[in-house]
Amino acid sequence: MTPVILLAAERESAEVTDWAARIGWVVGLALFVALVYWLMREGWKWRGTLQGDLPDLPVAPGEPGEPRLTTSGRYHGSTTAGQWLDRIVAHGLGTRSRVELTLTDAGLDVVRPGATDFFVPAAALRGARLDKGIAGKVLTEGGLLVVTWAHGGKLIDSGFRSDRAAEHSAWVDAINSMSNTNTTEGAER
């Protein structure tokens, strides 16, 4: 036999794709992804249930007064004060969103399109600082405005990022001066 005929005789056809096995793997992977998503969602709801003792969020008064500062930006979430990974999800505080912040003598008005708005009365403000992170969001050093406030017997840190980050220092100074005034007035009484 000639080498060409031997070569032709040794060749076999390519293996046929097993479509049933391939579809089974794709369906199995899709079900696994759906299960993981469902478990994450249940964990989020469970965390909200655990934080159910947090009272409803205050709403802004009808006449909050003349604005000291205003800005727009992003709301990145709230955590238990001092524990930057302990996210608070009750009452929508865990929902990231756009934000319009207004600081008045009455307090801090947080307006969030598509999410629950809330108001932090001036008496509840405990301070502000520049930080680099809050649950799920890490920025450069000083890239995040973190406002600490009291609500329902709990101290809460809320993280904001202004569209104009250079304004953060002015916000820290204004909120800290308000919270120091509140602390001094409370000590004199």
Side-chain angles (χ1 to χ4, degrees), residues 101-130:
L101 292 177
T102 305
L103 184 65
T104 65
D105 288 333
L108 179 65
D109 191 15
V110 182
V111 177
R112 302 185 307 153
T116 307
D117 300 341
F118 62 96
F119 181 76
V120 181
L125 288 171
R126 296 298 183 258
R129 68 182 185 281
L130 297 179

Side-chain angles (χ1 to χ4, degrees), residues 35-162:
L35 174 68
V36 168
Y37 176 77
W38 179 78
L39 288 171
M40 288 172 37
R41 183 169 168 77
E42 289 300 308
W44 186 268
K45 289 177 7 185
W46 178 68
R47 181 176 277 276
T49 302
L50 288 178
Q51 298 166 348
D53 62 337
L54 196 66
D56 289 336
L57 299 173
V59 293
E63 291 295 321
E66 199 63 32
R68 286 180 165 194
L69 292 170
T70 60
T71 192
S72 61
R74 300 265 325 148
Y75 169 78
H76 289 291
S78 293
T79 63
T80 303
Q83 299 177 11
W84 73 285
L85 290 175
D86 185 22
R87 183 186 299 268
I88 296 175
V89 300
H91 305 297
L93 287 176
T95 306
R96 290 185 180 172
S97 62
R98 292 286 303 159
V99 70
E100 299 285 332
L101 292 177
T102 305
L103 184 65
T104 65
D105 288 333
L108 179 65
D109 191 15
V110 182
V111 177
R112 302 185 307 153
T116 307
D117 300 341
F118 62 96
F119 181 76
V120 181
L125 288 171
R126 296 298 183 258
R129 68 182 185 281
L130 297 179
D131 213 331
K132 65 180 178 180
I134 198 160
K137 186 65 175 181
V138 177
L139 299 165
T140 59
E141 188 66 44
L144 193 67
L145 170 65
V146 178
V147 177
T148 303
W149 52 291
H151 182 61
K154 182 181 273 192
L155 284 180
I156 298 173
D157 284 343
S158 293
F160 305 95
R161 170 87 174 162
S162 172

